[in-house]
Amino acid sequence: MAEAAGVSVSTVSHVVNNTGARIGQDARERVRRAIEDLGYRPNAMAKNLVKGASRFLGLVADAIASTPFAGQIIHGAQDEAWQHGYVLLVANTEGNQGAEASAISMMLEHKVRGILYSTWYHRAIDLPAGLAEADTVLVNCYSTGHPVPAVVPDESTGGRDATQMLVDQGHQRIAFLNTRTPSPARDGRLAGYRQALQSAGLPFDPSLVAEVQPDQEGGYAAVDHILATRATGVFCHNDRVAMGLYDGLRDRDLHVPTDVSVVGFDNQEVIAAHLHPTLSTVALPHYELGRRGVRVLLGLDVIERPGPLAVACPCVPRNSITRPSRV
Amino acid sequence: MAEAAGVSVSTVSHVVNNTGARIGQDARERVRRAIEDLGYRPNAMAKNLVKGASRFLGLVADAIASTPFAGQIIHGAQDEAWQHGYVLLVANTEGNQGAEASAISMMLEHKVRGILYSTWYHRAIDLPAGLAEADTVLVNCYSTGHPVPAVVPDESTGGRDATQMLVDQGHQRIAFLNTRTPSPARDGRLAGYRQALQSAGLPFDPSLVAEVQPDQEGGYAAVDHILATRATGVFCHNDRVAMGLYDGLRDRDLHVPTDVSVVGFDNQEVIAAHLHPTLSTVALPHYELGRRGVRVLLGLDVIERPGPLAVACPCVPRNSITRPSRV
């Protein structure tokens, strides 16, 4: 290459690796032409080895095969990583600890610049041992034991805004089908629900809150409870619960939203926009979590307050809410 | 390291890289102990550079953020790759050609052993230019112009088995809600549907086949057509069409399966097992496609006949099929 360009090897290296060294325009041009003539492809591994650290970022994800959530985190992280010249090394663990340890070890061997560790649902984790050796950012999870930077969804503001969509249409008896799984989503969305009621001057009535299995079966099984509460609107812990509730209401010849208004959470692909009627919900910001995770890892965003960085969950209004037929 | 072990640098290299050189048991043991004492982690990039090719396999996937299908392909490919000591470099393109070209170029720079190129739905593709430089296997897609090995789902056998589930329960008037999108799935599933009817001695009646938008909206809009055909069973192009059909039937006070039996295709996560009643369907083998793609790439499986390797779509019987109330 240097021979073809008629320049020194170190000049070629400076040009190819963009070191910022002062190389004359003429020499630069000759190197570029030689690169084209020779069909030269820079050897990324050789470049990395010389620099001591690679242009890799690692992303360890669980549940990539069973929900689109991990995919959205990967999508956001990759877009942001590529923008800054990094390649994302993705490893999928499906929750398996052995696979997780291998993935982290593989990433350290490849001298990643840092590792994003992500979970498909928002939860507290025990920090995997290998992560101590790398710059780490937790995505959609956090560690109580270690002060590791974390990026998570803002559950309470999301819960508040979901409830507010019902309040705005005049609902006063609003039930909440929460999950029975202890989690930041359970606590945060409940806090948001209470906050919205309080702002609207509505009393908090514990009998309006039930905890269910957080899927279609849980929503379906809760219909009789909902009818007994005489709620006119229901905030569901997630879109799957809302989908089950729809089915249960239909089996009793009741209609959404004329008989009962419903709001979900997640804006889950393949479901929320395709129910009859389409489901008003609040979006989990998985793409944004992946994107912000990379920005924190690269020092482009700084987490100023203690605790995880909370990312907003935007409202997605559709057709499952109307004014109550009775108050 | 060599110093700590009291052996030569080349001995350390032979032991660490498993070159197969004859090294005495004692020296081997001393190297291992030194590795443990020093907390030595082999530098994967340096090893790769020496060998000239890396232990990476590339996987280019579209639509990772919007369906779990790409995730299942990644899961299967990664499990198989890891089993043979390879790390999977995953790149997500979301169908963007620029992202695709960057991904392939990045993989070539990292000297991948080969590239899997996958699409989230089964289709013919124009082979991206960069793939000519690498060993390539197409997953869930194929190229008509280039003789590149490909692994795809067996659509026609899947369509036959789905229809057969209805035949087995005594249905004789079986409608088929096919997709209106030209694709191997449309042609293959129709061929399978006709094959099952023929084996059962049932006539093929073109008025029983309709082409719809392949999602919930398409199934919902087809209900009047289905009722007009007096079909007792319906084979739906995919689970989303079946979900829309369920909703449309309910709106007319009809029940699955007592009024109409329904079978889907895909076994889509989050839907098929969670409808009321749960949906009998045929599974798209995405995990297996990813796994077999890696096996073909590494030469562990050989495609013997011309054309793509067809992977079976297994039946998943649930509760949406019963005997017809009328024949």
Side-chain angles (χ1 to χ4, degrees):
Chain A
M1 163 77 71
E3 204 177 341
V7 299
S8 74
V9 170
S10 83
T11 300
V12 172
S13 167
H14 284 306
V15 173
V16 168
N17 293 307
N18 258 321
T19 59
R22 298 183 57 151
I23 308 287
Q25 191 52 41
D26 180 56
R28 233 175 244 283
E29 195 44 50
R30 268 181 290 154
V31 170
R32 276 209 205 91
R33 231 174 301 128
I35 285 174
E36 272 181 27
D37 292 350
L38 300 171
Y40 170 80
R41 189 178 285 287
N43 182 329
M45 289 186 296
K47 284 200 297 184
N48 294 339
L49 195 68
V50 171
K51 292 185 190 159
S54 77
R55 297 296 285 180
F56 285 129
L57 298 181
L59 190 156
V60 179
D62 66 348
I64 190 176
S66 44
T67 79
F69 294 150
Q72 288 161 9
I73 292 173
I74 292 169
H75 187 28
Q78 183 184 289
D79 282 0
E80 190 69 23
W82 286 19
Q83 200 175 317
H84 303 288
Y86 284 89
V87 167
L88 201 65
L89 259 183
V90 176
N92 162 57
T93 68
E94 292 302 312
N96 177 298
Q97 287 208 337
E100 184 177 286
S102 310
I104 293 170
S105 169
M106 170 276 281
M107 288 172 178
L108 295 173
E109 282 191 30
H110 287 97
K111 298 198 172 298
V112 289
R113 164 76 183 72
I115 295 180
L116 300 183
Y117 180 90
S118 77
T119 54
W120 74 271
Y121 74 95
H122 180 185
R123 62 188 170 92
I125 57 155
D126 291 325
L127 201 70
L131 291 184
E133 293 185 46
D135 280 354
T136 299
V137 175
L138 305 179
V139 175
N140 210 23
C141 56
Y142 59 94
S143 164
T144 44
H146 298 77
V148 179
V151 181
V152 302
D154 188 341
E155 305 284 0
S156 66
T157 308
R160 186 198 67 193
D161 293 350
T163 310
Q164 190 64 40
M165 284 196 263
L166 293 164
V167 168
D168 286 345
Q169 287 295 317
H171 290 270
Q172 298 190 4
R173 265 191 95 63
I174 299 172
F176 179 27
L177 289 181
N178 204 355
T179 177
R180 61 165 63 130
T181 309
S183 61
R186 184 176 72 164
D187 300 343
R189 295 175 199 177
L190 177 62
Y193 164 79
R194 297 188 64 155
Q195 203 184 325
L197 295 181
Q198 193 173 12
S199 306
L202 297 170
F204 171 69
D205 176 353
S207 75
L208 284 170
V209 178
E211 294 185 345
V212 303
Q213 186 176 308
D215 59 13
Q216 286 94 334
E217 288 70 16
Y220 189 81
V223 176
D224 287 333
H225 161 78
I226 290 296
L227 297 178
T229 63
R230 293 177 302 109
T232 59
V234 184
F235 167 31
C236 296
H237 179 77
N238 64 29
D239 295 346
R240 296 180 65 177
V241 168
M243 179 172 157
L245 179 61
Y246 271 47
D247 281 350
L249 288 169
R250 272 207 208 87
D251 281 358
R252 285 155 186 80
D253 285 326
L254 294 171
H255 291 90
V256 178
T258 41
D259 293 305
V260 181
S261 287
V262 177
V263 61
F265 207 111
D266 285 2
N267 196 30
Q268 174 139 195
E269 290 279 349
V270 190
I271 291 183
H274 302 284
L275 297 180
H276 294 274
T278 56
L279 180 65
S280 298
T281 189
V282 160
L284 275 176
H286 288 103
Y287 178 92
E288 190 65 13
L289 292 175
R291 202 180 76 80
R292 297 297 289 275
V294 167
R295 292 188 64 81
V296 171
L297 190 59
L298 296 179
L300 301 168
D301 283 356
V302 176
I303 301 181
E304 301 199 339
R305 288 188 248 173
L309 177 69
V311 175
C313 301
C315 285
V316 185
R318 293 198 182 93
N319 299 308
S320 59
I321 303 178
T322 190
R323 300 194 70 78
S325 48
R326 55 192 155 83
V327 181
Chain B
M1 163 78 71
E3 203 176 342
V7 299
S8 74
V9 170
S10 83
T11 300
V12 172
S13 167
H14 284 306
V15 172
V16 168
N17 292 307
N18 259 320
T19 58
R22 299 183 58 152
I23 308 287
Q25 190 52 41
D26 179 56
R28 230 175 247 286
E29 195 43 52
R30 269 181 290 153
V31 170
R32 274 205 208 93
R33 231 174 300 130
I35 285 174
E36 273 180 27
D37 291 351
L38 299 172
Y40 169 81
R41 189 178 285 287
N43 181 329
M45 289 186 295
K47 285 201 295 186
N48 294 338
L49 195 67
V50 171
K51 291 185 191 161
S54 77
R55 297 295 287 180
F56 285 129
L57 298 182
L59 190 156
V60 179
D62 65 349
I64 191 175
S66 45
T67 80
F69 295 150
Q72 288 162 10
I73 291 173
I74 292 168
H75 188 27
Q78 183 184 288
D79 282 359
E80 189 70 22
W82 286 20
Q83 200 175 318
H84 303 289
Y86 283 90
V87 168
L88 201 64
L89 260 183
V90 177
N92 161 56
T93 68
E94 292 302 312
N96 178 299
Q97 286 209 337
E100 182 176 285
S102 310
I104 293 170
S105 169
M106 170 274 281
M107 287 173 179
L108 295 174
E109 282 191 31
H110 286 97
K111 297 197 172 300
V112 290
R113 163 75 182 75
I115 295 179
L116 299 183
Y117 179 89
S118 76
T119 54
W120 74 272
Y121 74 94
H122 180 185
R123 61 187 171 92
I125 58 154
D126 291 325
L127 200 70
L131 290 185
E133 292 185 46
D135 280 353
T136 298
V137 174
L138 306 179
V139 175
N140 211 22
C141 56
Y142 59 93
S143 164
T144 43
H146 298 76
V148 180
V151 181
V152 301
D154 188 341
E155 305 283 1
S156 66
T157 308
R160 186 198 65 192
D161 293 350
T163 310
Q164 189 66 40
M165 283 196 263
L166 293 165
V167 169
D168 286 346
Q169 287 295 318
H171 291 270
Q172 297 190 2
R173 262 192 98 62
I174 300 172
F176 179 27
L177 289 181
N178 204 356
T179 176
R180 61 166 63 130
T181 309
S183 61
R186 183 176 74 164
D187 300 343
R189 294 175 200 177
L190 177 61
Y193 165 78
R194 296 188 65 156
Q195 202 184 327
L197 295 181
Q198 193 173 13
S199 305
L202 295 169
F204 171 68
D205 176 353
S207 76
L208 283 170
V209 179
E211 293 185 344
V212 303
Q213 187 177 309
D215 59 13
Q216 286 94 333
E217 289 69 17
Y220 189 81
V223 176
D224 288 332
H225 161 77
I226 291 295
L227 297 177
T229 63
R230 293 178 300 108
T232 59
V234 184
F235 167 31
C236 296
H237 179 77
N238 64 28
D239 295 347
R240 297 180 64 177
V241 168
M243 178 172 157
L245 179 61
Y246 271 47
D247 281 350
L249 289 168
R250 272 206 209 87
D251 281 359
R252 285 156 186 79
D253 284 327
L254 294 171
H255 291 90
V256 177
T258 40
D259 293 306
V260 181
S261 287
V262 176
V263 60
F265 207 111
D266 286 2
N267 196 31
Q268 175 138 193
E269 291 278 350
V270 189
I271 291 183
H274 303 283
L275 298 179
H276 294 274
T278 56
L279 180 64
S280 298
T281 189
V282 159
L284 274 177
H286 289 103
Y287 178 91
E288 188 66 12
L289 291 175
R291 203 180 76 78
R292 297 297 289 274
V294 167
R295 293 188 63 81
V296 170
L297 191 59
L298 296 179
L300 301 168
D301 283 356
V302 176
I303 301 181
E304 300 199 338
R305 288 189 248 172
L309 177 69
V311 174
C313 301
C315 285
V316 184
R318 293 198 182 92
N319 299 308
S320 60
I321 303 178
T322 190
R323 302 194 67 78
S325 49
R326 56 194 153 85
V327 181

